[in-house]
Amino acid sequence: MVLLEESEVRRIHSELAEIVGSEYVSSRVEECFLYHMDFVTAEEPGRCDFVVMPRTVEEVRDIVLLANRRRLPVVPWVSGINIGGICNPLQGGIVVDLRRMNNVLEVNEDDMYAVVEGGITWGDLEGYLERHHPDLRAGITWSPPGTGVVPSYLCYGMLNLSMLGGTGSEFLNGVEVVLPTGRIIRTGTGMVSPYWYGRAPLPDITGLFVGWDGTTGIVTKASIKLWPNLPRRDFVIVADTVERGVNVFKALARAGLGIVDMCCLNYIWTAGAQGYEEKDDMPFEPEKAGLPDFNGLVTLTAYTEKEMEAKVEALTEIAVRHGATAVPFEDAVILFPENARGEFLTFQSPPIHFYCTWHFKRGGGGEWVGCYISSRHIAEYYKIAREVAKKYGKHASFYSRALFGGHHWVARVNIAFNKNDPEDVEKTRRCLMEIDEAVRRLESPVRYKAPPWAWERNLAKASKDSVEFIKELRRFLDPNGIMNPGHGP
């Protein structure tokens, strides 16, 4: 960490104020503290020296150039809600808060894409589309409205259209980036044309900024795919075990029904969505609670009612053939015993922000460990994670999603904890780290949104030449080593 003398702090503060205005830069300890961490499994919280809020790409460039002259770390930041520890300022320096850059710059209805600024949130984007382009929709995450859109896409976020379009990275047509040297570049067709509709047929360099955790540049604009906002119907698929439910999902993925989203929750997560609190006397095993362990959410879209009827018929038949039950989402409460229904929450569409419905104990919080994974290992991943969590006296809230037509999946386990109890926080940290380690023996899991310790595990069995090539690329793009040091590959 760079240690700055007080006189130097004042000089750099003044230089940053010249770039963005005095009201948009701070070096006050209490304000910088707000940016110190976002992940419970971090060994030590970070600390930045300055927080700056630029409004234009030119201001971002000037901040990066200043950081190069001063050899100061630079950490891009949108909301800190993308829980993964990837914007924890481990070595001090400047946090670049992009939240003032939150506009939709263009919507092309013909080619179905939007150009957005790097600091836009899901609330900003959804509100804009609902007001101005109601016939189009974006793929969104199950996260609070204040979460950043572009970071979710850059970090392979899974969306409510991921069965149709893949991870967030596949929703990117291209990006505008301020490189660590201060150079401003564009990728995709936006590099050569005012129409930013895709990546092909140019050299695709967008991947230099996807999955790198902000270590190769600051994305200031992105062109993202939009999709027709067609009529939809949402179904709950219930099976007694995760293994049986996954087999239903595999069959649905191969049925050609045009499913846009397919995800599942275990009984602990579903109980939380029903209004139950995390309690010590809740059984760890669903069979002891008398509840099914697989609760799948499937979204169908169709242009006509007759088309929808045919899809519903096929979905229902496939579920029954594989030993499961399919019901419309609004009727799902009938699947639970009367004494287990709780305050069941019903929506016009599946719940987007389940986090808002969790009832943790006072001072509580939730944290997750997740990976991308082969469908062959979903059920085994869950069993391993559940047993590790049980050892620590924790209930494993399991979540999985099929991506890009079922070609790969994501699996994740959430653990509740009391963030005001240091012992419980430490126990949760050990639990999550052990789950991460234990599931890796399945071979296909690869950790996403990985904090530094998990990145080390990701690369431990990688090809040495591949790892060295990645490091060479990073050194080439960031010769002074200023971009989000301590994170990424």
Side-chain angles (χ1 to χ4, degrees):
M1 179 178 290
V2 179
L3 298 178
L4 300 175
E5 296 182 358
E6 187 175 343
S7 59
E8 193 171 8
V9 169
R10 289 197 297 268
R11 285 196 298 271
I12 296 172
H13 185 117
S14 177
E15 291 182 53
L16 290 170
E18 290 180 8
I19 296 172
V20 299
S22 60
E23 65 269 42
Y24 296 115
V25 60
S26 177
S27 54
R28 296 175 62 187
V29 174
E30 60 270 31
E31 291 178 344
C32 290
F33 177 80
L34 299 175
Y35 297 82
H36 80 299
M37 70 179 301
D38 73 345
F39 199 67
V40 70
T41 54
E43 292 294 334
E44 295 290 339
R47 182 186 67 80
C48 64
D49 301 290
F50 308 93
V51 177
V52 61
M53 300 180 72
R55 179 64 196 88
T56 67
V57 63
E58 291 79 15
E59 290 178 357
V60 174
R61 175 199 60 201
D62 292 346
I63 293 166
V64 171
L65 291 173
L66 183 157
N68 272 287
R69 293 195 302 271
R70 298 285 188 172
R71 297 298 193 269
L72 287 173
V74 175
V75 180
W77 178 288
V78 173
S79 67
I81 306 176
N82 276 332
I83 302 169
I86 58 179
C87 53
N88 184 7
L90 297 176
Q91 297 183 24
I94 305 169
V95 167
V96 181
D97 186 335
L98 298 171
R99 285 179 294 176
R100 292 177 67 210
M101 302 177 70
N102 65 343
N103 292 310
V104 177
L105 302 175
E106 176 194 356
V107 172
N108 183 316
E109 292 205 352
D110 295 317
D111 299 321
M112 293 187 295
Y113 68 83
V115 179
V116 301
E117 292 184 309
I120 198 167
T121 66
W122 297 114
D124 297 327
L125 179 60
E126 284 290 286
Y128 184 91
L129 292 176
E130 288 176 4
R131 290 192 302 273
H132 302 291
H133 302 276
D135 293 334
L136 294 173
R137 60 183 299 202
I140 64 176
T141 63
W142 279 3
S143 60
T147 307
V149 173
V150 176
S152 295
Y153 286 177
L154 294 173
C155 294
Y156 299 106
M158 71 292 299
L159 316 168
N160 66 348
L161 296 177
S162 277
M163 181 63 180
L164 176 66
T167 72
S169 65
E170 279 101 14
F171 280 58
L172 289 170
N173 293 324
V175 291
E176 176 188 83
V177 187
V178 177
L179 297 179
T181 58
R183 181 180 295 178
I184 301 171
I185 70 166
R186 284 191 173 192
T187 74
T189 58
M191 177 170 57
V192 298
S193 166
Y195 291 89
W196 212 340
Y197 51 77
R199 300 187 192 180
L202 299 161
D204 186 6
I205 56 175
T206 305
L208 290 174
F209 313 101
V210 175
W212 288 77
D213 293 353
T215 61
T216 53
I218 300 177
V219 175
T220 50
K221 294 185 184 69
S223 173
I224 61 174
K225 289 181 174 67
L226 302 177
W227 302 85
N229 195 11
L230 295 174
R232 58 188 289 181
R233 289 199 65 183
D234 306 303
F235 284 81
V236 173
I237 307 289
V238 178
D240 56 347
T241 66
V242 169
E243 185 174 17
R244 187 185 299 275
V246 168
N247 287 333
V248 176
F249 270 21
K250 288 181 181 179
L252 289 172
R254 291 160 173 76
L257 299 181
I259 295 170
V260 300
D261 190 25
M262 198 157 64
C263 61
C264 65
L265 312 171
N266 75 327
Y267 112 90
I268 292 293
W269 198 321
T270 306
Q274 288 179 271
Y276 281 105
E277 296 183 14
E278 176 85 4
K279 296 178 179 178
D280 294 334
D281 59 354
M282 288 181 67
F284 292 98
E285 298 82 7
E287 54 271 18
K288 293 182 180 179
L291 293 172
D293 206 19
F294 182 94
N295 300 278
L297 298 175
V298 178
T299 300
L300 296 171
T301 61
Y303 189 73
T304 67
E305 185 59 35
K306 185 173 290 187
E307 179 190 3
M308 181 65 79
E309 290 175 2
K311 289 184 175 182
V312 170
E313 180 183 2
L315 179 147
T316 304
E317 189 276 329
I318 290 171
V320 171
R321 176 155 42 93
H322 287 81
T325 303
V327 298
F329 183 85
E330 60 270 18
D331 297 332
V333 68
I334 66 174
L335 298 172
F336 296 88
E338 288 189 10
N339 64 351
R341 293 179 183 178
E343 300 174 2
F344 190 79
L345 306 175
T346 57
F347 300 81
Q348 293 300 313
S349 60
I352 302 302
H353 307 304
F354 269 134
Y355 303 102
C356 301
T357 71
W358 291 357
H359 293 267
F360 297 128
K361 63 187 72 172
R362 183 175 178 84
E367 204 61 63
W368 55 260
V369 57
C371 64
Y372 284 85
I373 187 171
S374 165
S375 60
R376 294 179 179 179
H377 297 142
I378 296 292
E380 188 63 22
Y381 174 102
Y382 170 54
K383 291 177 183 177
I384 292 171
R386 189 175 73 177
E387 288 306 305
V388 173
K390 180 180 177 181
K391 186 176 78 172
Y392 286 88
K394 296 290 186 179
H395 293 86
S397 295
F398 175 74
Y399 159 89
S400 184
R401 206 166 206 152
L403 308 170
F404 222 154
H407 286 89
H408 62 297
W409 291 52
V410 64
R412 195 169 89 184
V413 172
N414 290 45
I415 302 294
F417 65 96
N418 185 342
K419 63 186 178 184
N420 291 330
D421 182 347
E423 291 185 4
D424 198 26
V425 170
E426 179 57 30
K427 181 170 68 173
T428 301
R429 179 183 293 117
R430 295 197 309 271
C431 176
L432 292 170
M433 294 180 77
E434 185 171 335
I435 291 173
D436 177 277
E437 181 178 17
V439 299
R440 289 176 186 268
R441 71 169 184 255
L442 297 174
E443 295 186 334
S444 74
V446 180
R447 178 68 185 271
Y448 79 106
K449 291 186 180 177
W453 58 266
W455 259 118
E456 292 178 6
R457 293 177 177 180
N458 275 355
L459 299 180
K461 295 183 179 180
S463 157
K464 292 183 179 179
D465 286 339
S466 297
V467 173
E468 184 55 36
F469 180 64
I470 288 172
K471 292 179 179 179
E472 288 174 3
L473 279 175
R474 186 167 173 179
R475 288 193 294 266
F476 172 76
L477 291 167
D478 184 13
N480 292 323
I482 65 168
M483 285 302 305
N484 205 12
H487 292 286

